[in-house]
Amino acid sequence: MYDIESLYEPTSVEDAARALAEDPKAMVIAGGTDVLVKLRDGKLGEAAHLVSVHELRDELSGVKLADDGTVEIGPTTVFHSITTDPIIKQTVPTLGDACDTPGGPQLRVAGTIGGNICNAATSADSASTLFAYGALLDVVSARGKRTIPIEEWYTGPGKSVRERDEILVKIRIPKDHYEGFTGHYFKYGKRRALEIATMGCCCLVKLSEDKKTIDDIRLAFGVAAPTPMRAVNAEAAVRGLPVAEAAEKIGELAQQDTHPRNSWRASKDFRLQLIKIMSERSLIEAARKGGADI
């Protein structure tokens, strides 16, 4: 049973921002794959006041490549469309791979990448990859617009700096955040589909011209801490190393950076073991895609 008191369908982002500002109980809904589940389970408290941005496709959906090479993603773009988009395949294919892992086929044609971010779960499949790519998040309210680096977005499990009346309107990945990098997203769960990540790991690498050395690396995780995170100390320690040596060291270094917890899905010790193995394998696969012989 869905306890919904009102549902408003705005005609524009500006109209949606106005509706959110005027009703202190209102909240945004897009694909509904998270919000409706929480409503059904009674996790949103009293009867919901919803402002649906689902139909604002002209303003909030699709992928574009800006003149400066920035990849611009509309937040109501569904996972399947991210995975199959030619711009994504050309520029940030690892994000497309990550968006092919949430739930099953039915969820991936309904769930949106913006919802995955706004839900602020550390297990969100797009989160670690967007962290690795250093995504910029544009939000709008009746009070104006601001840009939030994804590193500043998450404040705790299921929590973000986005205010209730703010709408995520664009996800941007600048050209220098992806150019020259190849990557690999590794999701571990007990099943191959319809599974929440026990651990998610994204590794992006930029190789030297001879393909033997790690010039740059970004290693990001979901479920390795209360929020998505990058293993910045591990990254710094392997920059400039031969690929094979970096792969040998990255796992233990990543363990020192991360802070997994015990839960009913996996113990802390098991997650630490996953971090070690997934870091190594993700680095190797990312390097191979970049032309390394390893």
Side-chain angles (χ1 to χ4, degrees):
M1 184 71 180
Y2 299 110
D3 192 4
I4 300 173
E5 185 170 320
S6 66
L7 173 64
Y8 182 68
E9 295 183 295
T11 57
S12 66
V13 169
E14 183 180 4
D15 188 27
R18 177 199 55 76
L20 289 167
E22 292 178 355
D23 182 354
K25 295 182 180 179
M27 63 183 299
V28 175
I29 184 171
T33 57
D34 285 319
V35 171
L36 292 179
V37 171
K38 290 178 181 178
L39 270 176
R40 182 195 62 194
D41 295 343
K43 293 181 178 179
L44 297 179
E46 59 189 21
H49 295 205
L50 302 178
V51 175
S52 174
V53 297
H54 185 266
E55 297 301 321
L56 302 181
R57 295 187 180 92
D58 289 345
E59 294 184 79
L60 296 180
S61 187
V63 180
K64 298 177 182 178
L65 190 63
D67 291 342
D68 64 358
T70 297
V71 179
E72 299 180 345
I73 304 170
T76 63
T77 310
V78 298
F79 292 119
H80 178 70
S81 294
I82 299 288
T83 299
T84 58
D85 188 90
I87 293 174
I88 296 291
K89 289 181 178 181
Q90 174 191 344
T91 57
V92 289
T94 309
L95 178 60
D97 295 341
C99 287
D100 200 33
T101 64
Q106 297 92 336
L107 183 141
R108 293 195 289 272
V109 296
T112 65
I113 189 169
N116 212 217
I117 295 168
C118 291
N119 194 39
T122 185
S123 57
D125 288 297
S126 68
S128 57
T129 305
L130 288 169
F131 242 79
Y133 279 120
L136 303 174
L137 309 175
D138 295 335
V139 297
V140 166
S141 71
R143 293 171 280 111
K145 178 179 178 180
R146 61 178 178 142
T147 296
I148 306 164
I150 197 165
E151 297 88 352
E152 300 173 11
W153 180 262
Y154 299 88
T155 59
K159 298 179 180 179
S160 73
V161 298
R162 183 181 70 91
E163 301 289 345
R164 177 202 59 82
D165 63 342
E166 288 183 315
I167 305 165
L168 177 64
V169 295
K170 191 175 292 183
I171 303 154
R172 293 183 289 119
I173 303 175
K175 185 176 182 180
D176 62 351
H177 289 200
Y178 68 81
E179 190 174 40
F181 284 93
T182 51
H184 184 72
Y185 176 68
F186 191 161
K187 174 179 179 175
Y188 177 85
K190 294 180 180 179
R191 301 180 298 194
R192 291 185 179 273
L194 300 173
E195 178 73 328
I196 296 172
T198 302
M199 182 66 59
C201 174
C202 177
C203 185
L204 303 178
V205 298
K206 183 183 290 187
L207 300 177
S208 60
E209 196 170 326
D210 62 6
K211 309 299 182 184
K212 294 181 179 180
T213 302
I214 302 290
D215 269 3
D216 200 0
I217 180 171
R218 297 172 191 163
L219 182 65
F221 293 94
V223 208
T227 64
M229 60 165 294
R230 275 177 62 180
V232 292
N233 294 319
E235 294 172 357
V238 301
R239 285 191 184 99
L241 294 182
V243 174
E245 185 179 350
E248 184 180 344
K249 293 182 176 180
I250 192 71
E252 291 185 1
L253 291 166
Q255 286 179 321
Q256 297 170 28
D257 267 353
T258 50
H259 309 282
R261 66 182 180 93
N262 290 305
S263 76
W264 64 269
R265 252 190 267 126
S267 68
K268 176 180 178 179
D269 288 343
F270 182 61
R271 283 196 167 104
L272 283 168
Q273 183 67 11
L274 287 176
I275 287 165
K276 180 179 180 180
I277 294 170
M278 293 169 73
S279 298
E280 178 182 349
R281 291 184 182 178
S282 296
L283 186 152
I284 288 171
E285 287 304 313
R288 281 176 176 163
K289 291 176 184 177
D293 183 13
I294 185 173

